[in-house]
Structures are given as C-alpha cells and as structure tokens.
C-alpha cells in the first residue's frame, strides 16, 4: 500500500532563513506527488505538483520541491521564509492512473520566529 | 469564482447524536471528494463522487457514515450515530476532471463528538 512519511511534526524557522520540509513515499512506481498548505481557517491549497519530467518543480509563493527517485523523497524548500508562511504543510501522493484518491502524510506544522 | 464551501464550519455534538455535513463544490465540477483528518493523524480519503454516482467509497469507515450527492450538485455526509472517534476535520474537494491535481479543497468542518 502507498504511504507518505513526513518525519517532522513541528519545525521552527527564523524569518528570512531557508526551509526544507521532508517527505518520503512508499510506492511501487513513480507516483504523482503534491505539496499542500493549510493556513488557519483556510482550505488546503496546492503549492506544487510533480507528474514527470524535470525533477525540480517550482510552485507558488516561492516554494520548490525536488523529486529524488533513488531516495523516494519529495522535499519542499524555500530559500527565505516569511512570517506568513507559518502554516501546516502536507505531502501527498496519487496513483497515476486517473480518478484516484490522494494519500497524505501526517503534516508538518511550520512556526516562523521573528 | 466561488470556491468549495462547507457547512457548518464547526459542530459539537454528543455521542449518539446525528450530524450532517454539507459540501458545495465549485459549479460545474463533476468530481467531489470527502476526506477526514482525525486529530494528529494524516488526512484520509473517504469517498469520491462522479456527478451523483459513488465512484469509490473504499475509505468510508463503517455504515454509520452515509454520503449522498443528489442531482450531482452539493453533497452531504451524515454520521449516525456519532461516536467519539468520529471527531476530526472533514474536508471536501472538487475537480472538473478526474485528475485531482486540479482540485480545490474546502476549509473543512471541524466535528467534535463529546
């Protein structure tokens, strides 16, 4: 069965510092990979997705993620964190066969210190 | 364009009572999904509608949960009778195509069963 692991439950980063959120997946083939963010009181918002091709994916709000097949990872990065980035981040995978459901990780809560 | 809306935003009920959650997808979106996040755990798929038909309901936890989508527009998720372990945040998402990459999530309904 597919699974997604986000090993960090909480991460605190100083404003202006770089950020990397870890995500590892377990799936037989190359899945479709996603990162979502949930700010307080908001729904899940798609940051970026990887289907195929270039393994470095650019997303919204200055985020990027790199797919590494050898490590089964899809880590999310941002070079300089802003206070408004404080939120909960979810990694997810989907079978690439259409009409399939997402499998989410447990989420990482990002705190941004001044 | 209005996003996915969910009602109510919060619901507090006692064990044994009935609760009905509602989701209004984006107009024209044939695909509608329900997900649930139990406290501290991952977001889990419940079911998927294509128009008014249930495409996949493999994630429904038990027969206390009943989802409907009459006329292929809004959807309801009824929990009857509610148990303590049903507490969590229930998310709805909709998409115009089968690929969930173009989906939009609602803000969720936080259900607390006392």
């Amino acid at each position: 069965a597919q699974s997604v692991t986000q090993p960090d439950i909480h991460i605190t980063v100083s404003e202006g510092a770089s950020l990397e959120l870890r995500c590892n997946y377990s799936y037989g083939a190359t899945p479709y990979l996603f990162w979502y963010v949930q700010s307080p009181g908001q729904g899940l918002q798609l940051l970026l997705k990887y289907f195929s091709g270039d393994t470095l994916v650019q997303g919204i709000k200055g985020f990027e993620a790199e797919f590494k097949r050898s490590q089964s990872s899809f880590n999310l990065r941002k070079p300089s964190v802003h206070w408004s980035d404080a939120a909960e981040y979810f990694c997810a995978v989907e079978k690439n066969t259409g009409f399939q459901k997402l499998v989410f990780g447990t989420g990482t809560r990002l705190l941004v210190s001044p | 364009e209005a996003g996915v809306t969910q009602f109510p935003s919060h619901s507090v009920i006692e064990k044994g009572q009935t609760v009905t959650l509602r989701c209004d997808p984006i107009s024209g979106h044939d695909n509608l999904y329900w997900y649930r996040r139990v406290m501290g755990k991952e977001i889990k798929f419940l079911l998927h509608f294509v128009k008014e038909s249930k495409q996949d309901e493999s994630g429904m936890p038990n027969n206390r949960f009943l989802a409907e989508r009459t006329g292929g527009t809004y959807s309801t998720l009824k929990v009857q009778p509610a148990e303590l372990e049903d507490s969590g945040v229930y998310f709805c998402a909709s998409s115009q195509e089968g690929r969930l990459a173009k989906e939009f999530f609602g803000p969720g309904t936080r259900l607390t069963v006392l």
Side-chain angles (χ1 to χ4, degrees):
Chain A
Q2 300 164 3
S3 67
V4 178
T5 302
Q6 292 181 249
D8 304 305
I9 299 174
H10 295 97
I11 281 187
T12 300
V13 174
S14 298
E15 190 168 15
S18 63
L19 169 70
E20 183 169 30
L21 302 183
R22 295 183 289 166
C23 173
N24 291 91
Y25 65 90
S26 171
Y27 183 56
T30 300
Y32 293 160
L33 297 158
F34 305 81
W35 274 99
Y36 288 87
V37 61
Q38 186 183 20
S39 299
Q42 305 295 313
L44 292 164
Q45 182 181 23
L46 181 67
L47 285 175
L48 48 78
K49 59 186 183 283
Y50 172 78
F51 286 171
S52 63
D54 191 348
T55 57
L56 185 62
V57 181
Q58 301 297 321
I60 62 171
K61 304 185 180 188
F63 286 92
E64 66 177 27
E66 186 171 12
F67 169 58
K68 293 185 177 180
R69 184 191 305 274
S70 61
Q71 299 176 20
S72 296
S73 70
F74 189 57
N75 293 350
L76 182 71
R77 300 193 296 248
K78 186 169 185 178
S80 177
V81 169
H82 188 261
W83 64 266
S84 61
D85 293 325
E88 194 157 18
Y89 293 80
F90 296 91
C91 182
V93 303
E94 178 198 342
K95 288 183 187 177
N96 54 357
T97 54
F99 286 103
Q100 295 293 330
K101 53 200 179 263
L102 292 173
V103 176
F104 285 89
T106 51
T108 297
R109 184 168 295 280
L110 173 65
L111 304 174
V112 179
S113 60
Chain B
E1 178 182 86
V4 177
T5 57
Q6 293 187 245
F7 182 83
S9 57
H10 294 84
S11 180
V12 181
I13 61 172
E14 293 189 351
K15 176 182 172 181
Q17 289 185 322
T18 298
V19 63
T20 300
L21 313 181
R22 174 171 169 145
C23 169
D24 286 78
I26 292 173
S27 178
H29 282 192
D30 288 340
N31 294 284
L32 188 149
Y33 305 80
W34 283 98
Y35 288 83
R36 176 175 75 168
R37 188 185 190 200
V38 172
M39 180 75 72
K41 306 233 171 165
E42 68 272 26
I43 301 168
K44 282 194 172 180
F45 168 85
L46 295 179
L47 86 159
H48 168 208
F49 283 100
V50 178
K51 296 184 180 178
E52 67 274 10
S53 300
K54 293 175 185 175
Q55 177 78 22
D56 181 352
E57 53 183 328
S58 60
M60 294 288 265
N62 51 60
N63 59 10
R64 295 186 293 103
F65 288 75
L66 175 64
E68 294 181 322
R69 191 182 182 194
T70 306
T73 55
Y74 70 91
S75 174
T76 58
L77 180 64
K78 180 190 288 187
V79 185
Q80 179 182 30
E83 297 289 344
L84 299 179
E85 63 264 26
D86 301 332
S87 297
V89 180
Y90 290 76
F91 292 101
C92 176
S94 72
S95 69
Q96 197 166 26
E97 302 173 12
R99 294 314 322 284
L100 203 57
K102 296 183 181 178
E103 92 312 336
F104 298 86
F105 277 84
T109 293
R110 181 174 295 278
L111 174 64
T112 302
V113 182
L114 302 176

